[in-house]
Structure formats: structure tokens, C-alpha cells
Amino acid sequence: MKKENLQTVLAICVMAILGSILTSCADSNAAEQKVVAMATPYILPSTEKITNWDEYIGRFEASERVEVRSRVNGYVESVKFKDGDFVEKGQVLFIVDQRPFYAALKQAEAEKLQAEADLQRTKSDYDRVSSVQDSRAVSMEEVEQRKQIAKSSEARLMAANARLAEAQLNLSYTTIKAPISGKVSEKYVDPGNYISGGSADASLLTTILQVTPMHFYFDASETDFFGNAGASDGKASTDKKQVLVKLTNETSYDRVGYMDFVDNEIHQTTGTIRGRAVFDNKNMELESGMFGRMRLLGQETEVLLIPEEVITTNQSQKIVYTVGEDNTVQVKPIQIGKLYNHKYRIVLGGLESSDKVISGNLLKVRPGIQIKPEQKTFKVEPDTSLAAM
């Protein structure tokens, strides 16, 4: 084959290949244009008035807690309750061996009788000598002496009365009663054991917790102190604000209580201030030591809400896709707030109520591509747990 003919054949082949490639590219572009231009739903952010709230982690504690200790030394004779019982104020819990204290009481009574007899005798002596003082049958010194002896006998009687009262008190302390009503713990000392009492190191016998009502303690930041947690003009004010709590195994905030205390200072190390809420516990579902998540309800506020699922992440930034000019996809960075009713996100900045937020095909849209937007209805379901009282 001639060289000229070979070159012509090669040129024809190259042109055919290029034509095939260009046709394939054109078909691919057409297919891509078809995918990008497909219908894409969008919504308009909803402006709602909701009750503002702050969330805290805290722990339940009994409204009263008493450590039961003895005021006297002795051997435990008997225990009058079952572990975990509910006891009433004044109910007998422990009895300490009373025999040594009963003997001490009898001795004190005898000392009192003796002191009374001595006083009666010395007073009679004084009355006798003082009656003849004017006749000078006795000297002034003897009269004064008899008077002092009578006063000493009176003082000994007072001391005997004090010892008798102490003996009676110690005997009463051998019957250890519940100082408050509540749920008692287990007995820490069994009958037959010796216990010490009447000091800071006295033996701990058991504990009693008053579990109705129940207190919920939490720590609020200094910022919250000047905001929702206690605060107006820098002064703590509980004002019986409503609070909602859910336990770690619960999904909704169904337990309703109210604030009743804010501490008198901000902790210098943590920068937090302690608060307390009160919850009814008549059904005895709450136990001291339980953790919970609390919502402290505040004022009604107007906010902008969008569905949680339309928000995506670009590195460390939260973004949404919006419909821009010529129906092109745009990216808008936003600042987000709390999650409302488990599915709506409060938008703090970066978005307007007129922005068209893309709510579908989020895995297919890309910034700058052209789409066919279709508006979808967006209606916020209110969170009934945040309804103001």
C-alpha cells in the first residue's frame, strides 16, 4: 500500500475514534444533566414561639437524712425494725441493755433522799439556834455556822437532783427512737455488740432517709445564674420555676417539679452555683442517688426551627443546602442551638425565614449545580412537655 493511502486510512480511523469519544461524552453530559435537573424538595424554616429552657445533669437526694447513733455506751439488746422498712418518727429502733442505767437511777434516787434528809436536819438546827439568838443563848458565830451548813445541804440536794435527772435521761437514751419518718437502711450493729455513744465517734447504728418529697441538686454555670437558672439583676430568685426531669432509662421529661433553692455563692474553682428542685415522690419511684437530666423552663421566645435531618457537617461547621439564584444549590453555614421536641433544631444564626432549605436528595446535590426545586409543607409539632404552667 502506498504511503499516501496509509496516511489517509489512519486519519479516517482517528477521526472515527474521536467522533465516538465525543458522542460518548455528549451522551454522558446529557445523562448527568438529567440527574442534576431532577426534582428536589425544599422547605421554608418555621418561626415559632416556644418556652425556652436550660438543661442540666443532676442527682436526686433525700429531703432529710439522719444518721442514727446512740447517746450512751452499752450492749445492744434488741433491734425493733426490719432492714428497709418505712418507720415513723418516735418509733423504737434499738434497745440498749438498761440494767446498768436502772441501777444508776436507783442510786441517784437514794442520794436524793439522803440529801433531802440532811437538808431537813440542818435546817432544823439552824431554825432552833436562830430562834434563841435574841436571848443571847447562842453566839452569833454558831448561828452563822448553822446557816452555812444548811446552805451546803441545800446545794447537795440540788446536785442530787441533777444526778437523778441525768440518770433518768441516760435510762431514756437506752431506747433509741427514729428522729424522723422515712425509709430506714439496714442495721449496722447486731444484738449483743457493744456500742459507744455520746461523742462524735459514736457507733453508727443505721440511717433514715425522708424520700418524699425528693430533692434534685444540680450545678448551673455563672452565665445561667444571670439568665434562666436563678437570676435577674444578679440576684438569685427561685420563684418556684417549673422544672422537668427524666431518668437515665426514660425518653421523655414527664416528671414535674419546681425550684426552691439557689445557693448563696458561686464556687470559685468551678464557676458554678448550686441549685435545688423539689419533686413529689408519693409513688416511691425515685431513690436517693439517682441521676437525671433536668430542664429548667424559662420565658417564651421566638425561634427559627428546621428539621434536624437537613443539617450536614462540613469539617467542624454545620451547614444546610439552599436554593439560590437560577435554581442553583448554595451552601449556608449556620449556628445551631438546642434540639426541640427530639427532631427540630433551633437555628441561632446564618439562616433567614425566607431561605429555601433543601430537604431531600441531600446525597446527590452539590454546590453550584442546577436543580428543579419543589416546595414541601413544613409544620412543627409542639413539644407538650415544654408547655408553660
Side-chain angles (χ1 to χ4, degrees), residues 220-235:
S221 68
E222 186 174 348
T223 303
D224 292 336
F225 172 72
F226 289 105
N228 199 23
S232 119
D233 299 330
K235 297 181 180 179

Side-chain angles (χ1 to χ4, degrees), residues 214-265:
M214 202 69 134
H215 287 164
F216 183 85
Y217 286 93
F218 64 97
D219 293 318
S221 68
E222 186 174 348
T223 303
D224 292 336
F225 172 72
F226 289 105
N228 199 23
S232 119
D233 299 330
K235 297 181 180 179
S237 172
T238 58
D239 206 19
K240 292 210 171 197
K241 292 182 178 179
Q242 182 189 4
V243 297
L244 308 172
V245 161
K246 69 173 182 179
L247 304 179
T248 54
N249 64 333
E250 296 175 338
T251 57
S252 58
Y253 293 82
D254 296 328
R255 303 181 185 275
V256 182
Y258 63 89
M259 289 286 298
D260 80 324
F261 167 75
V262 175
D263 210 349
N264 60 355
E265 65 176 351

Side-chain angles (χ1 to χ4, degrees), residues 40 57 79 90 105 201 211 246 286 292 325 353 371 374 378 382:
T40 303
I57 300 295
V79 179
L105 175 63
D201 299 326
V211 293
K246 69 173 182 179
L286 302 175
E325 296 180 358
S353 59
I371 59 173
E374 292 185 354
F378 173 48

Side-chain angles (χ1 to χ4, degrees), residues 138-361:
V138 294
S139 65
M140 291 292 296
E141 289 79 4
E142 186 176 354
V143 173
E144 189 64 27
Q145 185 180 11
R146 297 290 183 180
K147 181 179 180 181
Q148 295 302 323
I149 292 174
K151 284 187 174 293
S152 296
S153 297
E154 187 177 356
R156 284 194 294 273
L157 178 58
M158 292 177 64
N161 283 328
R163 286 191 292 273
L164 176 60
E166 182 182 14
Q168 292 172 335
L169 195 60
N170 287 336
L171 180 60
S172 70
Y173 287 158
T174 59
T175 302
I176 302 173
K177 301 179 180 180
I180 63 171
S181 299
K183 188 176 182 180
V184 68
S185 180
E186 62 177 327
K187 60 181 183 296
Y188 300 148
V189 178
D190 293 317
N193 286 287
Y194 185 84
I195 59 174
S196 59
S199 68
D201 299 326
S203 303
L204 178 61
L205 306 181
T206 189
T207 58
I208 303 175
L209 301 182
Q210 188 178 76
V211 293
T212 177
M214 202 69 134
H215 287 164
F216 183 85
Y217 286 93
F218 64 97
D219 293 318
S221 68
E222 186 174 348
T223 303
D224 292 336
F225 172 72
F226 289 105
N228 199 23
S232 119
D233 299 330
K235 297 181 180 179
S237 172
T238 58
D239 206 19
K240 292 210 171 197
K241 292 182 178 179
Q242 182 189 4
V243 297
L244 308 172
V245 161
K246 69 173 182 179
L247 304 179
T248 54
N249 64 333
E250 296 175 338
T251 57
S252 58
Y253 293 82
D254 296 328
R255 303 181 185 275
V256 182
Y258 63 89
M259 289 286 298
D260 80 324
F261 167 75
V262 175
D263 210 349
N264 60 355
E265 65 176 351
I266 294 175
H267 197 281
Q268 295 180 2
T269 303
T270 62
T272 59
I273 189 167
R274 199 179 198 203
R276 183 179 71 197
V278 177
F279 288 82
D280 184 21
N281 192 31
K282 291 181 179 179
N283 54 12
M284 299 301 170
E285 292 181 350
L286 302 175
E287 293 285 348
S288 183
M290 280 183 171
F291 280 99
R293 183 181 293 272
M294 187 192 82
R295 283 181 172 179
L296 174 59
L297 304 186
Q299 301 298 321
E300 194 175 53
T301 309
E302 191 174 85
V303 297
L304 203 63
L305 296 174
I306 58 175
E308 172 75 0
E309 61 268 16
V310 306
I311 303 173
T312 60
T313 303
N314 182 9
Q315 296 180 349
S316 62
Q317 198 172 44
K318 297 294 183 180
I319 62 172
V320 292
Y321 293 113
T322 61
V323 181
E325 296 180 358
D326 300 327
N327 293 334
T328 57
V329 177
Q330 293 184 345
V331 175
K332 280 205 169 186
I334 60 172
Q335 294 81 48
I336 62 173
K338 303 166 189 171
L339 189 64
Y340 177 75
N341 202 15
H342 307 289
K343 50 188 174 182
Y344 310 115
R345 183 64 68 175
I346 297 175
V347 180
L348 303 178
L351 199 65
E352 301 294 336
S353 59
S354 58
D355 287 331
K356 300 176 181 179
V357 179
I358 295 175
S359 58
N361 298 331

Side-chain angles (χ1 to χ4, degrees), residues 33 62 64 67 73 81 83 91 103 109 120 130 145 151 166 179 217 229 236 250 286 288 298 326 336 349 362 366 379:
Q33 182 65 25
E64 287 189 57
E67 294 183 345
N73 302 328
F81 68 93
D83 296 348
Q91 181 178 332
E109 289 176 346
Q120 186 176 3
S130 62
Q145 185 180 11
K151 284 187 174 293
E166 182 182 14
Y217 286 93
E250 296 175 338
L286 302 175
S288 183
D326 300 327
I336 62 173
L362 295 176
R366 294 292 182 271
K379 185 177 181 181

